[in-house]
Amino acid sequence: QVQLVESGGGLVQPGGSLRLSCATSGSIFSRSIMGWHRQAPGKQRELVAEITSGGTTNYAGSVKGRFTISRDNAKNTVYLQMNSMKPEDTAVYYCKISPGYGLGSTTWGQGTQVSVSA
């Protein structure tokens, strides 16, 4: 069973930056799609960004141009660099691994709180 450990959340002022990290166990990282999702109070969980094994990225419209997802296959880690943050970015951020066909099941991390407030 793959385990995901997120870190880097916290409190930041509007306009500030944070970088989230998600480290994974196991040997399937490089062959998996990695994603960051978030869930604000009273709202459904939504996709923030994802990156394929080949490095192709996809972003939610609300974060495009401000957030950058990247991966380091040597470290089995995916990152989310968040710049120009807004109060509406406040949410619990979850890392997700979607392994390639036959490699295992989709797994979520435990989540990390990100709060944007003055």
Side-chain angles (χ1 to χ4, degrees), residues 8-9 11 14 21 34 39 44 49 52-53 59 63-64 66 70 72 75 79 82 84 87 89 96 112 114-116:
L11 174 64
S21 299
M34 299 301 300
Q39 187 166 17
Q44 290 188 333
T52 69
S53 58
Y59 295 93
V63 307
K64 197 171 293 185
R66 299 188 298 121
S70 61
D72 185 336
K75 296 182 178 180
Y79 305 96
M82 303 184 290
S84 303
D89 295 321
K96 184 179 81 171
T112 185
V114 171
S115 299
V116 185

Side-chain angles (χ1 to χ4, degrees), residues 20-48:
L20 305 182
S21 299
C22 174
T24 71
S25 62
S27 60
I28 62 172
F29 177 86
S30 64
R31 294 172 287 171
S32 302
I33 296 173
M34 299 301 300
W36 286 99
H37 297 244
R38 67 186 180 187
Q39 187 166 17
K43 295 187 177 181
Q44 290 188 333
R45 192 173 298 189
E46 63 177 0
L47 172 70
V48 176

Side-chain angles (χ1 to χ4, degrees), residues 56-114:
T56 300
T57 57
N58 179 44
Y59 295 93
S62 60
V63 307
K64 197 171 293 185
R66 299 188 298 121
F67 291 9
T68 302
I69 189 170
S70 61
R71 65 191 297 158
D72 185 336
N73 290 339
K75 296 182 178 180
N76 289 348
T77 300
V78 63
Y79 305 96
L80 184 68
Q81 178 66 44
M82 303 184 290
N83 298 328
S84 303
M85 297 187 71
K86 304 175 181 180
E88 51 263 44
D89 295 321
T90 295
V92 178
Y93 283 69
Y94 297 90
C95 177
K96 184 179 81 171
I97 183 169
S98 302
Y101 181 77
L103 297 178
S105 303
T106 295
T107 303
W108 294 86
Q110 81 284 357
T112 185
Q113 177 69 46
V114 171

